[in-house]
Amino acid sequence: VSHYIDHIQPAIDEMAAADCHLFVGLDPAALPEECSEGSEHDLRRMQAFVRFRDRVTVEVDSWCRGQGVPDDALHEALQQASEAAAAGKETNGTILLELLAAVDDYGTFAGYMAGEAESAHGPPGAPSIFQVAVPEGVFPGEQLQVHTPDGQTLLCTVPEGLAAGKAFAISYTPLV
């Protein structure tokens, strides 16, 4: 199971970083009240869930095929992890169970992403930082239009000493 976690964690981290801004300030316990079909924010959250579910499914299938792990062996490992979780023990298997629960259940996924959002962005209204790579043909001192992870457009100045392909940090206040 630990090899599986090592394989899939980079994909999970990448997706969480890309979409956690959608969950800033979300209280997963209040999901039924916060979700409405007409809300654009909820549509974007649901799209993030579908991307997460599809990507994790592909990663699980890829890992199992690559390792030659039959379905029954994975099922047995998950059963052992479930028993460990019921006994209050956290193992790589219980982490895997939580991940797979997030694939099957929007509420679990939203709770995971709300936690990631708070870790990445702090409390609602707190400044956040993202990295910008200097594009080809743009030089230090020039202004550059960038888009934040939550879709805002900002104008920034490329710091001195940076060449194309090098990254620098931009601070912004995420939309809630």
Side-chain angles (χ1 to χ4, degrees):
V1 171
S2 64
H3 296 293
Y4 172 78
I5 295 292
D6 293 342
H7 171 79
I8 197 163
Q9 194 62 52
I12 300 299
D13 293 344
E14 175 188 318
M15 290 184 302
D19 289 329
C20 71
H21 68 276
L22 297 170
F23 297 84
V24 170
L26 176 72
D27 176 6
L31 274 176
E33 292 81 28
E34 291 189 22
C35 290
S36 64
E37 290 184 28
S39 168
E40 179 182 333
H41 209 77
D42 290 329
L43 175 61
R44 293 176 66 202
R45 287 176 183 154
M46 187 55 72
Q47 289 168 337
F49 172 64
V50 170
R51 283 191 301 274
F52 181 86
R53 183 191 64 210
D54 292 350
R55 176 82 183 268
V56 170
T57 300
V58 166
E59 294 292 336
V60 168
D61 291 345
S62 168
W63 183 82
C64 287
R65 278 194 311 277
Q67 297 295 312
V69 175
D71 288 341
D72 60 336
L74 182 60
H75 177 74
E76 182 180 324
L78 292 174
Q79 181 62 37
Q80 290 171 356
S82 179
E83 291 166 6
K89 300 176 187 172
E90 183 169 298
T91 66
N92 284 339
T94 58
I95 294 168
L96 177 59
L97 279 175
E98 291 170 6
L99 171 67
L100 294 177
V103 169
D104 286 335
D105 179 66
Y106 177 76
T108 303
F109 168 76
Y112 169 76
M113 291 298 277
E116 290 294 307
E118 188 165 333
S119 295
H121 299 286
S128 190
I129 296 174
F130 72 105
Q131 297 290 316
V132 175
V134 178
E136 289 289 331
V138 177
F139 300 95
E142 290 187 68
Q143 290 199 323
L144 179 64
Q145 185 174 334
V146 298
H147 299 282
T148 65
D150 64 355
Q152 298 178 65
T153 301
L154 303 176
L155 196 59
C156 63
T157 302
V158 176
E160 292 298 323
L162 291 185
K166 298 296 180 185
F168 62 100
I170 300 288
S171 178
Y172 74 105
T173 301
L175 299 173
V176 179

